[in-house]
Amino acid sequence: MTHPNSRDRLPQRAAEAQLIHMARFVAPAVAAHVEQTEQQRTLAEPSAKALREAGLFTLGTPRRHGGHGAGVRTAVDVCAELAAGCASSSWLVGIAYGAALFASQLPDAVRTEIWASDPDALLCGAANPSGTVTAVPGGLELGGRWPWISGIDHAAWVLLGIVREDRGRPERGLALVPASELAVADTWHMAGMRGTGSRTATAEQLFVPDERFVSFAEIAEGIGVRRHPGEARVVFPLSINLPLVGTGVGIARGALELVVRDLAGGKRSISPLHTHTADAAPHQLNIAQAATLIDSARLHVRRAADEIDEAAREGRRPDLETRARLRMDGSHAMRCARDAVSLLLDTAGASSFSDDSALQRAWRDIGTASRHAALSVETSRELYGRVLLGRPLPHTDVV
């Protein structure tokens, strides 16, 4: 039976398939500059230009403002394609997607301010609350530091996580500010995901009008579809987090392709039992297990994305148990991707840890990305277990 809205979605589906094709086309271009991106600890300008010209920074920008308004499944697949070439490029596309979804919840006047003059504007942000917040007439005054803002070097607008007082109660949310009004401290010195440029933003007595603030509670309750009828609902926070899992899946898939190519190409074994590594049963099993782990990761994250997209189109928020399961899907997928890379390095051997090895970069990148707080397996397991067992959760809008 045909879904009543399926005919309306056909053009959008074709457009989203084209986005995945474009990501596949752009991946070699960003891969060509991956070393420059790492050395600079921010996205190399040729890579940023390629992503911008391909329209991949505007996956989440509403279509009525010149973007793609893509679903989460498309964002996941786009990020997976890009990550095989450059994990940092992929991560920033995922960050831009999530930030655009956040900004799309704001009033029309603010959305016009963001995108009317630059439909290709890249947005980024830090959801964790930081800094100081003072209520002033007409808005808020911010000060302090917001660390780990991926993509801030290339952003036009930044979303800052804050806590403001609402009728005497703390209210978590995001304040939108022009990137030009922030100072940026070069604090990003990490083992992996070096090219994301996740630096620290600082501000002093920065005024933010009330209309540029949106609370997490409002997003969870569906303020976006009330303000902008006809747009898909953002399922917070899952819509924002899952594309980052796509990055992990892409890293692992790229590592698998490298190791299989090396072994199938005749890599000689260091074992006295075999001439070629590909003939050794333990390594055959490692390859098979790694491939299965990557398939598991892909299946879990795609299932979660499909469920979120369906709920978003229908304008509903999944129930708590479903949200907890979907969060577990994303965290489990990222852990499967990390475990796959570890197995592949067991087979590839110690030479893979040289500084000029793409596998070493994959190991560092997946090790860093998979430990992002939003993708923590430990937290997701506890949340899901509590929900399944009927144990209480603290009041929160981020599950």
Side-chain angles (χ1 to χ4, degrees), residues 113 142 155-158 160 176-184 201-209 212:
E113 186 179 9
L142 308 184
W157 295 84
V158 181
L160 301 178
L176 178 74
V177 302
S180 59
E181 295 183 6
L182 296 167
V184 179
T202 64
E204 185 177 345
Q205 295 182 324
L206 176 59
F207 176 71
V208 180
R212 287 204 208 144

Side-chain angles (χ1 to χ4, degrees), residues 6 337 350 383:
S6 62
L383 285 169

Side-chain angles (χ1 to χ4, degrees), residues 32 39 51 80 87 94 110 112 121 138 141 188 224 248 250 256 289 311 327 333 347 396:
Q39 291 167 4
L51 295 169
V110 178
T112 300
E141 190 174 86
W188 188 243
L256 176 65
Q289 187 175 351
R327 176 172 177 150
T347 283
T396 178

Side-chain angles (χ1 to χ4, degrees), residues 12 20 43 65 112 158 167 169 189 270 276 288 307 339 347 377 384:
Q12 179 70 357
I20 297 167
L43 196 60
H65 288 284
T112 300
V158 181
R167 294 183 290 276
R169 293 177 299 180
H189 300 272
I270 60 170
H276 296 99
E307 288 194 44
D339 289 347
T347 283
V377 168
Y384 192 28

Side-chain angles (χ1 to χ4, degrees), residues 135-146:
V136 295
L140 304 167
E141 190 174 86
L142 308 184
R145 296 165 59 85
W146 286 263

